[in-house]
Amino acid sequence: MNINKPVLLIDEEKCRANIQRMASLCADKKMSFRPHFKTHQSLAVGKWFKEVGVSKIAVSSLSMAEYFSKEWNDILVAFPTNVLEDELINHLAQRIHLNLLVESLETISLLADVVKFPLTIYIEIDTGYHRTGVYFDDYQMIDSILEVIKNADCLSFGGFITHSGHSYDCLGKEEVLSLHHINKNRFLQVKSRYIADYSNLIISYGDTPTTSIADDFDGVDELRPGNFVCYDVTQVQIGSCDFNQIAVVLACPIISIHKERGEIIIYGGSVHLSKDSLKWQDKGVIYGLLAEKTEKGWCEPIENAYVYSLSQEHGKIKMAEIELLKYNVGQIVYIYPIHSCLVISSMRGFTTLTGEILDVYRGL
């Protein structure tokens, strides 16, 4: 494979193993599996999910739903509905089983007036993340939203969803499990309040840290994680995975070496890796780790080698002198991303280890 500029590589074997692991968890726990496709954003990768029996998905925008509607029928837009996109909402609802997310009385009231074709509504519940969602014990608001759905001609109630995004702030499995216990119990409290009146409602739970680490999902009907398909350095730090499960790296050419500073300069900057960062061990803030290359791809990161600075096209790698001597200008290095979702979105495509290019969604 000829690489002469930044290329996002995907290890199909690792990716498929991640998919199978999550599908098996759902099967073992008698939950349905609605993976969030905002991470990989690819129809080609989506086919790998179909091979393990997945029949419904989540996405993060209506335009992404349109992209995936070529091959998927049951799609949840897991983002508070933007009522200004009513034309696209109706276009999709006419063609597929469209599921939308609401978290306010104002939004559901506006939707009830503009939706012309049947679709399903899920109410987002805030179990502690405090980004969007109706707070888990705000039954007055939930009741008001349900009343609008009941009286609308084209809307039906599907259930509740939550996203424990604050699990990304956890360090270690114990913190994740503690947060999961609180959030799951709050979510089940909502379910128990409404199951008598809505016997077919489902509660959909989704974030990669808790679904990768926890084992207790009693009462949860559906899992909806996304990042797990590729994982990244953030997930390693949290405890969701190990490095051998990270299915993507950014391949970058070396354009300069400064031995006096212990630095390698790569063609690979913030437009490729994004500006997502984290504090890593004793290295301070980093933007990626250098992966050890193997005949079949990559494995553990190289010790004391990390991306410590990014500009638009340039990346600076700090490295121990003994390792630095192994590299020359024109070589390709592999970078583990801090946040795979943003790198995939930035690169707009994958290349497999056999050289096949996998196209991805190119909207915003």
Side-chain angles (χ1 to χ4, degrees), residues 33 45 59 108 159 233 256 336 341:
F33 185 23
V45 175
V59 297
I108 194 62
V233 177
S256 183
Y336 278 126
C341 303

Side-chain angles (χ1 to χ4, degrees), residues 139-273:
Y139 301 125
Q140 183 176 352
M141 175 59 73
I142 295 172
D143 289 342
S144 297
I145 293 172
L146 287 171
E147 186 66 20
V148 175
I149 296 172
K150 184 173 73 171
N151 293 324
D153 292 335
C154 293
L155 306 181
S156 60
F157 176 57
F160 301 101
I161 82 168
T162 193
H163 174 64
S164 299
H166 45 320
S167 64
Y168 281 68
D169 297 328
C170 294
L171 293 176
K173 295 182 178 180
E174 287 188 8
E175 287 188 23
V176 172
L177 291 174
S178 176
L179 181 145
H180 168 67
H181 177 74
I182 294 170
N183 290 348
K184 191 197 76 161
N185 286 342
R186 286 176 172 177
F187 206 25
L188 290 178
Q189 179 178 319
V190 179
K191 182 180 182 180
S192 65
R193 171 92 177 196
Y194 292 97
I195 193 67
D197 293 328
Y198 300 92
S199 59
N200 293 321
L201 76 82
I202 68 167
I203 61 169
S204 177
Y205 191 87
D207 67 281
T208 286
T210 62
T211 56
S212 296
I213 294 171
D215 187 60
D216 174 18
F217 294 98
D218 291 348
V220 174
D221 303 303
E222 177 180 275
L223 287 192
R224 204 185 64 259
N227 180 275
F228 76 95
V229 67
C230 293
Y231 286 121
D232 48 39
V233 177
T234 297
Q235 297 298 335
V236 172
Q237 186 178 64
I238 292 170
S240 308
C241 67
D242 58 43
F243 280 104
N244 290 320
Q245 292 171 276
I246 299 180
V248 290
V249 295
L250 187 68
C252 299
I254 295 174
I255 57 173
S256 183
I257 297 176
H258 293 272
K259 295 180 181 178
E260 74 282 2
R261 301 200 304 258
E263 289 180 0
I264 286 176
I265 310 300
I266 57 172
Y267 178 12
S270 58
V271 296
H272 311 100
L273 283 166

Side-chain angles (χ1 to χ4, degrees), residues 8 41 73 104 150 185 205 279 323 327 336 344 347:
L8 185 62
Q41 302 185 28
N73 180 62
S104 73
K150 184 173 73 171
N185 286 342
Y205 191 87
K279 291 183 179 180
E323 288 291 339
Y327 293 91
Y336 278 126
I344 293 166
M347 294 302 295

Side-chain angles (χ1 to χ4, degrees), residues 54-102:
V54 172
S55 61
K56 56 184 179 178
I57 65 173
V59 297
S60 56
S61 69
L62 285 159
S63 56
M64 191 182 292
E66 184 174 32
Y67 168 78
F68 280 108
S69 69
K70 301 167 191 172
E71 297 182 8
W72 295 84
N73 180 62
D74 189 340
I75 302 177
L76 165 70
V77 182
F79 184 86
T81 301
N82 174 20
V83 296
L84 297 179
E85 293 183 281
D86 57 298
E87 287 188 15
L88 183 51
I89 289 170
N90 282 306
H91 171 70
L92 288 167
Q94 191 175 14
R95 295 171 45 236
I96 66 170
H97 179 192
L98 181 64
N99 306 268
L100 297 182
L101 177 65
V102 300

